């Protein structure tokens, strides 16, 4: 069994962003030389998630609107008694989920025709990390 | 390490359906001859998800009602400016999540007593695909 | 390839609880002697989930409040026609997701600085199980 572990760092300009990382993940898979296996993509900070969906601006805005409707920014969360102001971001990560496992087939990410992989930042403007781990043969 | 990759195709009669695929996934696991490993089940189209829960009609209707309440069909999503009418389906996939990793133990899916695996179609009536990938030994 | 499978049992005092299982999962990883691989943590009963987030009481209360707002306990779900009263718990598991795949790097759980792993019970006070499966080398 082979394995490769890499970390992507992000420091977004805006508080909330969706960043397409499909190509970067694909390059790590190529470098790993794994032909058949799994590639885990997981946000290591607990106010960020991973989204596998469409590269379409309208949809990305719809998604962020929905999450903000369900877990509004600026609400008086109990979590804020610790001095934080990012309770919404923890909840948004939960609703979206924070990771995806991508199949690798014949040496490539085996994604559907429209599947793109996004890093979803809900409390950015500081350095945060995603782990990419490939296992297989 | 062994691996097996298969694709299930769906073309549902209704726009929204929950289809129990537990037996089909189980047969792929048996065919793979993997005794200890993981089986990834992932919806490759971005308006469908995977659900691991109960085969009970009332609950299935409750789930679909909840998702439609959170991401209503027919709403004027920004995504629809592209000509699409399925913004709700992208969001429903996100809330449900689009994949599950099933453990394989002693050659069989190691599911809980009531766990069943469903393909969740939110924008059907056309051909769509799920990838089933088994790795292990 | 090595593999290890263990089951954790829970019988919570309260109906709804979040139980930090990070240390228990870490011990299973150590025992497995896997240096590079994946650790699947999956709730086997369909009214429980797995949450990877912050060990902070306020946030944990915020999370439970959000889930109860989206899928209220005590609502007249169709699922209750079967005699059950836990429709909300099935839906809460769905919104949270029922599993996580944790990377193992250099023999340890490769978690972010604040990531903790929780068993999320939504219908407790009876024996329920989580599967922990490690694969790797």
């Amino acid at each position: 069994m082979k394995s490769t572990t890499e970390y992507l760092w992000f420091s977004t300009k805006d508080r909330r962003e969706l960043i397409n990382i499909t190509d970067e993940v694909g390059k790590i898979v190529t470098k790993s030389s794994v032909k058949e296996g799994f590639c885990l993509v997981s946000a290591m900070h607990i106010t960020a998630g991973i989204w596998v969906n469409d590269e379409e601006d309208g949809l990305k805005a719809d998604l962020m609107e929905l999450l903000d409707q369900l877990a509004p920014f600026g609400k008086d969360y109990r979590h804020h008694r610790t001095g934080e102001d990012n309770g919404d971001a923890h909840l948004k990560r939960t609703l979206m989920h924070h990771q995806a496992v991508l199949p690798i087939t014949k040496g490539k990410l085996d994604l559907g025709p429209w599947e793109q992989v996004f890093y979803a930042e809900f409390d950015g403007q500081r350095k945060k990390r995603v782990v990419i781990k490939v296992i297989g043969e």
Side-chain angles (χ1 to χ4, degrees), chain A residues 63-129:
Chain A
L63 171 73
M64 288 309 218
E65 184 180 275
L66 171 64
L67 292 175
D68 205 56
Q69 187 185 304
L70 299 180
F73 175 68
K75 198 178 142 179
D76 182 27
Y77 295 103
R78 291 177 193 84
H79 182 51
H80 296 176
R81 295 177 197 160
T82 62
E84 296 282 357
D85 68 347
N86 60 5
D88 70 301
H90 290 271
L91 300 175
K92 283 165 177 149
R93 162 184 162 106
T94 302
L95 292 172
M96 167 180 281
H97 205 48
H98 67 283
Q99 60 178 201
V101 175
L102 311 176
I104 302 167
T105 306
K106 298 179 185 164
K108 289 195 175 161
L109 287 177
D110 194 358
L111 298 174
W114 301 97
E115 282 189 318
Q116 296 286 301
V117 186
F118 296 88
Y119 172 66
E121 177 61 83
F122 299 119
D123 181 29
Q125 301 167 322
R126 53 199 174 100
K127 282 187 76 181
K128 292 167 76 175
R129 209 158 52 129

Side-chain angles (χ1 to χ4, degrees), chain A residues 8-12 17-22 41-45 47-51 64 96 117-124 126-130:
Chain A
L8 302 179
W9 286 93
F10 300 90
S11 184
T12 59
E17 286 192 28
L18 286 169
I19 299 171
N20 192 326
I21 58 171
T22 316
V41 181
S42 193
M44 301 183 84
H45 288 79
T47 49
I50 299 295
W51 190 51
M64 288 309 218
M96 167 180 281
V117 186
F118 296 88
Y119 172 66
E121 177 61 83
F122 299 119
D123 181 29
R126 53 199 174 100
K127 282 187 76 181
K128 292 167 76 175
R129 209 158 52 129
V130 169

